[in-house]
Amino acid sequence: EHPEWFHNFVADPVVVLKVNLAIPLMHLGFIDQARAQMDAALMRGRQRGELMARTIALWCAAMFEMRMQRPDRVAEHAQALCKLVDDHAIGQAQGPSRWVRGWAEAHLGSPQEGLRLILEGFEHNRRGGMLAGDLDGAQAQLDKARDLGERFGERILFMYHYMLQSRIELGRGDI
């Protein structure tokens, strides 16, 4: 059983830790260890049943398999992610669920359908202000994420906040 503070995270920190460990392990050539971490994240997400944990695990597992050039596995994760997103109206994952599915379609022999889905995902995020140079919108979202992280003592994604801040500043020409 976990201490009370553990339950204050937006997403299961164990899932987030495992997916964030899998990608660097893969890039270092530790494929078996990377796959074990990703599989453990997927299993924990399913067992715990938390929407954000399941969404993060599926999304990251799909990206992992993209890097491994395994479109059949990407398609499996994409299908599960799309179902989760549609069943529970997870807005933040609408665009990425389409990109992932599009990548799989393109690599499995349907490049036109794949491109359509990728562009549909991009358009979904553009309409939501997530892309296309909406630096003020990006800053507002990042500020909200930082506030939430501070309120809950969340530190797992702390370094990403700084990377995103630097991208916003670069986009504004603030070198």
Side-chain angles (χ1 to χ4, degrees):
E1 191 59 33
H2 299 291
E4 187 172 323
W5 61 264
F6 185 88
H7 301 285
N8 289 332
F9 288 93
V10 174
D12 184 324
V14 174
V15 169
V16 173
L17 176 71
K18 289 185 176 301
V19 299
N20 280 305
L21 183 57
I23 302 296
L25 283 170
M26 180 197 60
H27 287 294
L28 290 170
F30 299 108
I31 304 302
D32 292 338
Q33 294 93 329
R35 184 166 307 285
Q37 292 297 323
M38 196 59 73
D39 289 346
L42 286 164
M43 186 182 328
R44 182 171 173 92
R46 278 192 303 268
Q47 288 172 342
R48 301 215 17 117
E50 297 170 357
L51 286 179
M52 287 311 296
R54 290 168 55 201
T55 302
I56 290 168
L58 286 167
W59 188 347
C60 291
M63 291 188 301
F64 177 84
E65 297 298 349
M66 284 177 181
R67 288 177 174 101
M68 296 296 295
Q69 293 293 309
R70 295 188 58 193
D72 56 326
R73 294 287 305 238
V74 174
E76 290 173 21
H77 295 313
Q79 182 178 14
L81 181 60
C82 286
K83 180 167 176 27
L84 191 66
V85 165
D86 291 343
D87 289 352
H88 300 283
I90 303 170
Q92 307 94 312
Q94 289 283 344
S97 71
R98 288 176 174 88
W99 302 334
V100 169
R101 201 167 98 218
W103 186 94
E105 289 287 333
H107 284 81
L108 290 171
S110 300
Q112 292 299 321
E113 176 63 9
L115 177 60
R116 184 189 70 74
L117 288 166
I118 291 168
L119 293 174
E120 188 178 292
F122 174 81
E123 181 59 24
H124 182 275
N125 278 14
R126 189 194 64 74
R127 281 192 317 267
M130 294 179 195
L131 298 170
D134 182 6
L135 299 175
D136 291 336
Q139 185 67 63
Q141 292 298 319
L142 180 56
D143 291 344
K144 286 180 190 176
R146 283 181 170 161
D147 289 345
L148 187 62
E150 284 181 32
R151 194 168 63 229
F152 288 115
E154 170 71 68
R155 295 287 180 236
I156 291 174
L157 299 175
F158 190 70
M159 67 180 184
Y160 292 110
H161 293 168
Y162 283 100
M163 290 183 350
L164 290 171
Q165 184 65 57
S166 65
R167 287 181 183 161
I168 292 168
E169 290 169 5
L170 283 172
R172 291 178 172 156
D174 185 1
I175 312 271

